[in-house]
Amino acid sequence: MIRLFALLLVGAALLPVSCADTGGSLVPIEITTRGTDATEPFGTTTGWTVTLDEAWVAVAAFRAYADESLAQLLVPSRAYAHGGTDPLNGRRVRAEWFSSVVLDALDPAVRVLGLVDGETGAVDEVGVSLEQPSGGDTRGRVAWVRGQAERDGETVAFEGGLELEDEPLVRRVENITLEGELAANDRLLLTADPRVWLADAAFDRLPENDDGEPRTITSDSQVHGALRLGLRSTRAWRATIERNEE
Amino acid sequence: MLVWSTLALAQVTPPRLTAGATTRPPYPAAGDGGAARVVLELVVDPEGAVSSAELVSVDRPAETAGPFVDAAMGHAQRLWLEPATRDGVPESARVQLELLFVPRLVAPELPRPVGPEPPEAEPTPVAAAGEPEFGAEAVVDAPEVRPVLAASDDRIETDRFALVPRTRGADLLTLAPGVVLQNHSGEGHAPTIFLRGFDAGEGQDLAIDVEGVPLNEPSNAHGHGYADLYFVIPETVQRVRVLEGPFDPRRGDFALAGSASYRLGPERRGIVAKIGLGSFGHQRLLLMAAPAQVERGTFAAVDLRRGDGFGPNRAHRSVSGLSQVRHRFGRTTLSVLAGTSALEMDAVGVVREDAVVARSLSCDPDRHSQFFCFHDPQQGGSGSRHLASLRIDRRLNRGRLSQQLFLTQRKLRMRENFTGALLDPRGDGLDEHTRTTTVGGRGSYRRRWRWRGRTQSVEVGYDARHDTGRTRQWRLRQDGGQPYAVVFDTDLQITAVGAYLAAHVEPLAWLWLDLGLRADAFAFQLVDRDRASSDREGERLTEEAVDAFGVALQPRATIGARLGQGVALLLAAGRGVRSSDAQALSEGERAPFADVFGTELGLVVRRERGAWSGEAKAIGFYTYVSNDLVFDPERGRNAPVGSSQRYGGSLVGRLHGPWLDVSLATTVTEALLGGGVFALGRDERLPFVPRAVGRADVAAHDHVEIRGERFQWGLGLGAGLVGPKPLPLGQRSAPIVSVDLSARLGWRWLGVTFAVENVLDARNRAIELYYPSDFGGGSLRAARHFAAAAPRTFRVTFEVALDTAAAEDSP
């Protein structure tokens, strides 16, 4: 009897040997950014050849969204278990960089922002939230550009920033394609391409400055409108996942 | 006249003959005409039946003793007695009974005791003795394992561990193995109950009653099955019975993980006044009267409490009054219970860990202040409960008849905010209101009979309740706390009726069976008061009636085998149900249930040596739930997640002695999502449920004499360990370690108790969750949230106890 009792004691203690875990798992993801080497002149749809000296953009956050198939969408999600949902688009957020950062869009070097806890699984899209800081490289704007544009012998020097209303939907760039699966120690790279920002700008419509200084991109100018569209274009951003082989 | 001696502990009462039972055996027809004296040794089972009788002596030569022995044995087998009790719990007992056979026309004698100095027998007619006693020497047969419904069927006398700090009535649940309580929302919010892999919420999976009055509140706005034990004054609790599984056919709705029954009856008799003071502005006044010369269940008590709480926004105030009169009229016991309570509290809810680490909360920037700080100061609650119960128990010669009626009026309001402003920029705060009136009753009839020399019984019973009221939930603005949206608003009319048949069969001396069948019916008549004012067809009323009905049959069975003296193996299995939350019903629906199938196998070993007794249990268990609920922070309440399974084991050890009581228990559980019955191998664990829990309670008490004065002393230790809980996305919570100590010194009618809770001053987290929220940060990713548990807390209680027994006995 004593033996049976001892056996049961040991058995009861060893019963739970499952290695199961709750759904999903968090892994470290390295968040990086870089700009585009746009020191060479590039053309616009309006016929201008542009050379940029400065291109800055202020980012509040960017997020990688889960690739959810139709079948997955039909399965009711467990609210307690999801790692985060964007209320503005209903998409599950697998990884998020949530800290203000001003990107030098002309610097092609990879800049490591830090590690975040990301959720493993397929992703298909990145969204960028822009912000308007009070000062700094963007001069209190969402983005700041400076450069020259040339067309048919006419050269226009310009500088100015983009101002956006303080509305979450307005300050967002969505549908930036990202293909892949997030796994431990992956590097999520967000690339800003300032060549797209001014793709539709008509620099000749910028008001001239009397003192010969670069023309200012005023908030009511066509260039400001073009910048507003260009910066928030999905073509102005690229997102990739790089597997860390180390 | 009964001479009683026992090896057992104090508060043991011997068996007594019931009033209607005769002690005069008929003179045997085969008798030789002379008188005869036969002494038998009887074993009286906890039901009061004589389970065995053995001949001790007969004052006749063997050739003429036969008819008297046969007649004595036959007479003894037909006897029914009031069972012996230990601390109020019926126990098996061994008694010696002397029977005297006298020829007709000779006045009979009352049976005489067999003892060292048996008194002279008086030729008094039995009928004149009222409720007769009988001469015998009796010994409580403690080591025997009583037929119980499962190895986990624990009936715990709370006074054994009264020295271990437990401040609220709900805390007594932790005397049962594997039960963990965690309160994430302040003093006044019912604690979340964890039991055998169940996150039983605030009662959704544990059927709780106090003296038969059910506490679980169906469709409570805060949580389906919410069971609030704050009105229970711990000093008034005599016993808590916890059955960890759906094995009792007497228990219906909410008994998925098990059931808990509180029996009231203060151990401390007399007039007791307690004044408590402690850390964080704790103040308590308890006044209790429990006369010694009435039934133990008779008492009246009032408990007033207030405190500032162990951090900002945690102030609380409460009052509770409980009174019960229990009186025996011959074979009939009448119990009248009345209670009223009210409370009000502030609460801090949960905070984001990253905000605490960044020290960005609105408290002082030091780590201590940030840990106990809050996001939303509008959280808190209030509640009241008023109840009355009338119960009549009638002991029959071969059975028992019970009937109880109860009435409860209940209000509860809770304000919580788990997600900040994630779901709506105006704020996600919840204001939950429930107002219900419950009327109900329960009754049973148990019939016992003898078969193969052992007691068998069958019981039929019912329980019924009707809840009427309103439950609603509003969203609150973050600024100002005004409600801006209705989440749900429902008028309730819920009728639940259950009936059961329970049979106890002992076909062999070493084998018993408990077989039960229970049927529950639930009828919902609801009015949803929050429908849209228009639909595709045009304008419509914002109210709509919803009716639903459902019936569930639940078989339950236990097989018990005595493997030796004090050793038993028990296998129990059963099906149980939980009714549907009204918010999940639609018109004309067959009211869906959450089904549970539970089974356990347990080995129980009991030993007794002198005044010491010990018990050890090893239990393995498995449970399947068809539609489980898990806490959803966005809804602020539990939400369906589909099926789930649990399996695990418990080890329990208890030691009781004249000056020491020890209880050790550990439970290890795996809780998994999905699958069917016994379809293990799923790879997703159920979140929030601790995998391993352990608890130790130690209470020691004795007395010393100094200069002729007698001083009572007592020491209590309570230690608990809750292992890491799985959180969503593979996260783990921090373990919880708690050590509580107390010391008591008593002199005459004065006493003082000094208690320290959380001696180690561990920064425990009462709850840890992992989900997205927006308390101003803006991140959309899930983050760790927690509610701080109490830091080290000191309490001192001064006690004045006037022993009315002594006072009433004095001239």
Side-chain angles (χ1 to χ4, degrees), chain A residues 88-243:
Chain A
L88 296 179
N89 59 17
R91 301 291 306 274
R92 285 182 59 184
V93 180
R94 286 211 188 276
E96 175 190 64
W97 172 259
F98 188 77
S99 183
S100 298
V101 58
V102 175
L103 306 183
D104 182 353
L106 296 176
D107 182 1
V110 173
R111 177 182 172 190
V112 178
L113 300 182
L115 288 173
V116 299
D117 284 332
E119 191 178 338
T120 56
V123 289
D124 67 350
E125 182 185 323
V126 161
V128 177
S129 293
L130 305 171
E131 68 175 350
Q132 194 160 318
S134 57
D137 292 324
T138 62
R139 280 75 162 178
R141 314 298 210 286
V142 172
W144 181 266
V145 291
R146 186 170 65 84
Q148 304 86 42
E150 183 179 351
R151 185 177 67 178
D152 301 332
E154 181 187 6
T155 299
V156 174
F158 62 88
E159 69 175 4
L162 171 66
E163 295 181 7
L164 292 174
E165 302 89 319
D166 189 10
E167 295 289 339
L169 281 174
V170 173
R171 291 188 176 179
R172 285 169 73 105
V173 185
E174 293 192 316
N175 304 319
I176 303 167
T177 302
L178 171 68
E179 292 184 356
E181 297 239 351
L182 278 182
N185 301 312
D186 276 357
R187 170 185 286 179
L188 178 60
L189 175 61
L190 179 70
T191 303
D193 188 349
R195 294 174 298 187
V196 181
W197 298 3
L198 298 167
D200 297 321
F203 294 99
D204 54 331
R205 294 170 65 179
L206 283 174
E208 293 188 24
N209 279 343
D210 297 337
D211 55 4
E213 289 292 307
R215 300 185 191 188
T216 302
I217 302 173
T218 56
S219 59
D220 57 351
S221 66
Q222 187 275 342
V223 176
H224 187 275
L227 181 59
R228 177 186 176 104
L229 290 173
L231 183 66
R232 294 167 62 233
S233 162
T234 56
R235 293 180 293 112
W237 303 87
R238 287 192 308 279
T240 54
I241 296 173
E242 296 177 0
R243 193 117 305 165

Side-chain angles (χ1 to χ4, degrees), chain B residues 330-659:
Chain B
R331 292 178 161 200
T332 301
T333 302
L334 179 69
S335 301
V336 180
L337 172 69
T340 187
S341 69
L343 62 87
E344 187 180 51
M345 61 159 191
D346 299 328
V348 300
V350 296
V351 292
R352 286 179 67 108
E353 185 181 55
D354 53 10
V356 173
V357 171
R359 306 191 184 190
S360 61
L361 297 174
S362 60
C363 300
D364 291 341
D366 62 281
R367 285 177 57 191
H368 175 90
S369 299
Q370 290 287 308
F371 185 81
F372 294 104
C373 199
F374 57 86
H375 285 296
D376 185 346
Q378 300 173 120
Q379 299 175 88
S382 60
S384 64
R385 179 191 299 274
H386 315 286
L387 67 88
S389 165
L390 172 66
R391 176 175 176 146
I392 297 174
D393 295 286
R394 171 90 176 154
R395 183 179 289 277
L396 309 173
N397 274 348
R398 301 197 175 173
R400 188 183 188 92
L401 188 65
S402 294
Q403 175 62 45
Q404 181 179 19
L405 299 172
F406 55 82
L407 172 68
T408 303
Q409 202 277 330
R410 174 85 170 124
K411 278 187 181 178
L412 181 73
R413 180 188 181 200
M414 286 286 168
R415 300 183 308 280
E416 294 187 305
N417 189 351
F418 287 95
T419 50
L422 178 75
L423 309 175
D424 191 304
R426 290 171 290 182
D428 299 344
L430 292 168
D431 195 347
E432 302 155 338
H433 299 249
T434 304
R435 171 178 48 79
T436 53
T437 300
T438 306
V439 293
R442 64 174 73 231
S444 64
Y445 170 59
R446 183 168 51 191
R447 178 76 164 85
R448 298 173 296 189
W449 73 95
R450 307 283 304 176
W451 180 57
R452 308 185 73 167
R454 287 172 291 277
T455 305
Q456 325 288 327
S457 69
V458 65
E459 179 178 331
V460 292
Y462 81 97
D463 51 69
R465 63 184 286 181
H466 178 75
D467 292 81
T468 178
R470 184 175 182 182
T471 179
R472 56 187 170 173
Q473 194 181 63
W474 297 332
R475 287 283 180 194
L476 302 180
R477 281 191 202 137
Q478 210 163 18
D479 296 327
Q482 292 82 10
Y484 68 84
V486 175
V487 181
F488 59 78
D489 186 351
T490 308
D491 282 340
L492 301 172
Q493 299 278 340
I494 303 173
T495 303
V497 179
Y500 65 88
L501 176 67
H504 175 76
V505 184
E506 295 192 38
L508 302 169
W510 56 272
L511 180 71
W512 76 85
L513 304 169
D514 278 286
L515 306 171
L517 181 64
R518 181 180 175 89
D520 277 293
F522 300 94
F524 297 83
Q525 289 94 40
L526 314 173
V527 176
D528 185 343
R529 300 168 67 139
D530 184 40
R531 293 291 193 183
S533 59
S534 64
D535 57 20
R536 290 179 185 174
E537 306 299 322
E539 289 189 359
R540 50 155 293 166
L541 293 177
T542 56
E543 297 184 351
E544 186 170 323
V546 176
D547 291 348
F549 192 94
V551 176
L553 278 177
Q554 304 143 74
R556 296 165 187 188
T558 302
I559 302 173
R562 295 186 181 92
L563 305 181
Q565 184 68 26
V567 181
L569 188 66
L570 295 98
L571 173 64
R575 180 194 178 205
V577 296
R578 184 207 308 121
S579 61
S580 177
D581 188 342
Q583 307 312 321
L585 294 173
S586 55
E587 168 67 1
E589 190 172 11
R590 275 190 63 199
F593 302 105
D595 260 312
V596 63
F597 168 76
T599 183
E600 72 162 48
L601 176 66
L603 182 69
V604 181
V605 178
R606 286 185 186 155
R607 289 287 183 264
E608 189 164 294
R609 177 167 298 177
W612 294 83
S613 64
E615 179 183 66
K617 296 180 182 182
I619 304 169
F621 56 84
Y622 170 84
T623 310
Y624 164 82
V625 180
S626 67
N627 188 14
D628 211 345
L629 301 173
V630 169
F631 181 70
D632 178 354
E634 293 181 6
R635 300 188 203 189
R637 61 206 309 263
N638 293 331
V641 292
S643 64
S644 65
Q645 302 178 78
R646 296 151 182 82
Y647 64 98
S650 293
L651 299 176
V652 183
R654 292 196 180 103
L655 176 69
H656 299 299
W659 58 272

Side-chain angles (χ1 to χ4, degrees), chain B residues 745-758:
Chain B
L745 186 64
W747 175 68
R748 297 190 178 180
W749 41 273
L750 297 174
V752 59
T753 303
F754 183 72
V756 188
E757 296 168 28
N758 190 6

Side-chain angles (χ1 to χ4, degrees), chain B residues 208-260:
Chain B
I208 303 176
D209 74 85
V210 173
E211 287 287 353
V213 180
L215 299 189
N216 302 81
E217 300 169 34
S219 302
N220 183 294
H222 186 67
H224 185 46
Y226 186 88
D228 178 1
L229 281 158
Y230 271 93
F231 75 101
V232 176
I233 302 168
E235 284 86 349
T236 66
V237 179
Q238 174 187 351
R239 180 169 68 244
V240 179
R241 180 189 179 189
V242 177
L243 174 61
E244 299 182 7
F247 311 128
D248 188 350
R250 297 159 192 83
R251 308 311 301 257
D253 200 7
F254 301 112
L256 268 64
S259 55

